[in-house]
């Protein structure tokens, strides 16, 4: 059933190229994004004034990526909440608010409660869901399925990757309908999207090098993940992948926040993973890398293939191929998934079933 792989998690990581393809290909017709299941006319898309994204765990991290992408491409204001907190701020849901709930299992109790809260306030809910016919799929007004297939490992990989794709498609659709991107820009994004499966595959095939590197970090006590902008979202997901399966404490910080407290934890040999895929943020990220290096940190960088300059400030670099600036999270997460996986394997952890965790969290 694991198809020759040592763990479901590794198998599911390897299923990502196909899962990504299966999620975007039915929604791309020539140079257009067509999302029939959205259930919204172009006029309704133009009438959206605010988007609220609600989810838990990795799905929440996908939502944080979504905020940067929706705001960047569509200029619609976006709020992102962890579902377990959403209700406690008496959320303001008005005419023109679209609530997006993201969930792999479709059974997460807090995410379901968020839908009910939105409905009680007259809001409209779009679900981005993996499990067909699940509770969230049934209660949302419309559902856009992520076609990742069944996910068995507790730590999500392919479902998360498909959640990102679903958000890209939605943001591209909204941006195009609202006149924020031209036909040519949309066509370019579609071309870049079509490259993603092969690029993910290539990154997966680098697993031996990452395993070698991971084996040096089996005794790590703390790992910090830093990024700015959209890279901060991937820092959060990379950090969660590490801690949930390897039990190594890790945290993600917006890179500029580090010096407001956390940098006091950096000492000789502390591993800091810096993610820098956004050209306009390279300089600032490099100065944050220098700050931690001066304090003895070992710096691992995830960056674009042409940013070799980073080698002056990093001890180890994982390169990702060139893509659209909004799609980089899809590529940057792959080495980080592999890194978390191989630290856990090296430590002999129960990778597919980490202690204290359940695949689907049906209590609040
Ligand atoms: C982490 C992980 C969890 C889930 C979270 C939400 O690898 O799997 O953080 O993302 O429990 O679950 P769903 O997506 O089923 O609502």
């Amino acid at each position: 059933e694991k198809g020759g792989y040592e763990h479901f998690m590794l198998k599911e990581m390897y299923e990502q190229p196909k899962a990504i393809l299966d999620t975007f290909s039915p929604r791309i017709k020539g140079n257009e994004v067509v999302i029939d299941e959205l259930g919204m006319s172009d006029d309704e898309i133009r009438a959206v004034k605010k988007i609220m994204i609600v989810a838990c765990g990795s799905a929440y991290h996908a939502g944080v990526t979504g905020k940067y992408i929706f705001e960047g491409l569509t200029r619609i204001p976006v709020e992102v909440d962890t579902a377990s907190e959403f209700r406690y701020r008496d959320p303001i849901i008005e005419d023109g608010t679209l609530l997006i709930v993201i969930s792999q299992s479709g059974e997460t109790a807090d995410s379901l409660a968020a839908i009910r809260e939105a409905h009680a306030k007259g809001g409209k809910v779009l679900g981005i869901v993996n499990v067909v016919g699940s509770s969230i799929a049934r209660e949302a007004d419309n559902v856009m399925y992520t076609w990742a297939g069944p996910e068995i490992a507790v730590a999500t990989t392919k479902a998360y990757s498909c959640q990102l794709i679903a958000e890209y498609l939605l943001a591209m659709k909204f941006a195009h309908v609202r006149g924020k991107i031209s036909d040519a820009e949309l066509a370019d994004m579609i071309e870049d999207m079509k490259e993603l499966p092969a690029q993910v595959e290539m990154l997966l095939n680098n697993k031996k090098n990452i395993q070698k590197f991971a084996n040096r970090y089996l005794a790590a006590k703390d790992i910090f993940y830093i990024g700015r902008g959209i890279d901060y979202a991937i820092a959060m997901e990379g950090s969660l992948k590490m801690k949930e399966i390897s039990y190594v404490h890790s945290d993600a910080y917006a890179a500029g926040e580090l010096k407001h407290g956390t940098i006091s934890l950096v000492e000789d040999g502390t591993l800091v993973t810096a993610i820098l895929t956004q050209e306009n943020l390279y300089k600032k990220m490099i100065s944050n890398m220098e700050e931690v290096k001066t304090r003895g940190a070992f710096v691992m960088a995830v960056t674009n293939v042409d940013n070799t300059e980073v080698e002056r400030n990093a001890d180890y670099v994982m390169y990702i191929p060139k893509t659209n600036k909004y799609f980089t999270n899809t590529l940057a997460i792959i080495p980080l998934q592999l890194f978390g996986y191989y630290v856990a394997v090296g430590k002999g952890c129960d990778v597919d079933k980490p202690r204290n965790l359940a695949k689907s969290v049906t209590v609040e």
Side-chain angles (χ1 to χ4, degrees):
E1 54 186 6
K2 289 185 206 149
Y5 290 96
E6 199 182 340
H7 297 102
F8 281 110
M9 187 178 169
L10 188 62
K11 173 174 181 269
E12 289 162 8
M13 283 191 277
Y14 267 85
E15 286 168 351
Q16 289 180 114
K18 178 173 187 299
I20 288 170
L21 180 72
D22 290 349
T23 299
F24 74 68
S25 54
R27 288 148 179 154
I28 288 178
K29 310 255 152 73
N31 284 334
E32 297 261 0
V33 175
V34 180
I35 313 173
D36 292 328
E37 65 272 41
L38 186 56
M40 290 172 86
S41 66
D42 286 1
D43 278 343
E44 286 171 312
I45 290 175
R46 281 188 280 265
V48 173
K49 292 198 190 76
K50 180 171 83 173
I51 295 174
M52 296 175 108
I53 305 178
V54 181
C56 298
S58 294
Y60 167 75
H61 298 155
V64 177
T65 300
K67 177 183 167 72
Y68 288 102
I69 290 174
F70 274 107
E71 289 192 338
L73 280 171
T74 70
R75 307 309 295 152
I76 301 170
V78 180
E79 296 174 13
V80 196
D81 280 76
T82 46
S84 61
E85 283 298 315
F86 183 63
R87 304 191 297 296
Y88 308 136
R89 66 177 175 118
D90 193 9
I92 301 163
I93 297 168
E94 296 165 320
D95 231 26
T97 302
L98 173 66
L99 191 86
I100 301 179
V101 174
I102 308 177
S103 176
Q104 187 285 128
S105 64
E107 301 299 342
T108 302
D110 281 310
S111 304
L112 202 52
I115 297 184
R116 292 174 185 161
E117 172 86 20
H119 279 160
K121 291 183 162 164
K124 196 172 154 128
V125 180
L126 172 68
I128 296 180
V129 179
N130 196 48
V131 176
V132 176
S134 56
S135 303
I136 291 174
R138 281 184 277 117
E139 289 202 23
D141 300 288
N142 293 97
V143 190
M144 186 174 174
Y145 282 111
T146 47
W147 298 117
E151 197 177 59
I152 311 288
V154 164
T156 182
T157 52
K158 61 175 180 168
Y160 167 82
S161 286
C162 292
Q163 289 162 358
L164 294 183
I165 298 293
E167 291 182 311
Y168 302 161
L169 290 166
L170 277 173
M172 285 153 68
K173 174 88 197 163
F174 275 47
H176 190 240
V177 169
R178 295 166 71 107
K180 299 290 180 194
I181 55 172
S182 66
D183 291 352
E185 283 166 314
L186 181 64
D188 278 353
M189 293 188 85
I190 289 174
E191 282 317 300
D192 286 337
M193 185 171 273
K194 288 181 181 163
E195 303 282 326
L196 291 174
Q199 292 175 324
V200 166
E201 180 99 52
M202 190 201 89
L203 289 164
L204 286 165
N205 289 336
N206 189 33
K207 69 178 194 303
K208 283 257 150 54
N209 285 328
I210 294 178
Q211 180 169 26
K212 233 188 274 163
F213 179 71
N215 281 334
R216 291 162 56 185
Y217 276 90
L218 304 183
K221 280 204 317 269
D222 302 291
I223 303 180
F224 297 107
Y225 290 75
I226 60 172
R228 286 174 183 259
I230 205 172
D231 292 331
Y232 173 46
I234 216 64
M236 293 165 92
E237 177 59 8
S239 168
L240 180 59
K241 287 283 90 69
M242 177 58 70
K243 68 184 130 196
E244 68 179 332
I245 56 174
S246 76
Y247 316 142
V248 176
H249 167 258
S250 70
D251 262 316
Y253 286 92
E257 254 314 274
L258 208 63
K259 53 179 158 296
H260 296 283
T262 313
I263 201 160
S264 65
L265 292 169
V266 173
E267 51 188 23
D268 251 358
T270 303
L271 179 60
V272 176
T273 303
I275 301 124
L276 53 164
T277 69
Q278 304 296 304
E279 256 175 73
N280 59 326
L281 299 171
Y282 282 172
K283 266 218 179 74
K284 286 194 177 147
M285 279 302 297
I286 287 179
S287 80
N288 296 134
M289 289 159 70
E290 275 167 359
E291 282 162 9
V292 293
K293 234 176 134 35
T294 316
R295 283 147 184 104
F298 188 94
V299 178
M300 163 169 119
V302 178
T303 194
N304 299 317
V305 70
D306 55 3
N307 188 24
T308 49
E309 210 193 306
V310 90
E311 289 178 20
R312 272 195 272 146
N313 298 289
D315 302 283
Y316 185 82
V317 185
M318 299 172 179
Y319 288 108
I320 60 164
K322 262 318 241 186
T323 184
N324 184 283
K325 70 172 176 178
Y326 291 109
F327 297 164
T328 55
N329 275 190
T330 292
L331 303 179
I333 195 56
I334 304 299
L336 299 180
Q337 288 172 346
L338 287 167
F339 183 46
Y341 173 77
Y342 281 116
V343 171
V345 168
K347 290 180 69 174
C349 298
D350 189 351
V351 174
D352 285 336
K353 283 198 172 59
R355 67 188 180 208
N356 308 341
L357 291 174
K359 184 65 183 161
S360 146
V361 182
T362 52
V363 289
E364 294 187 8

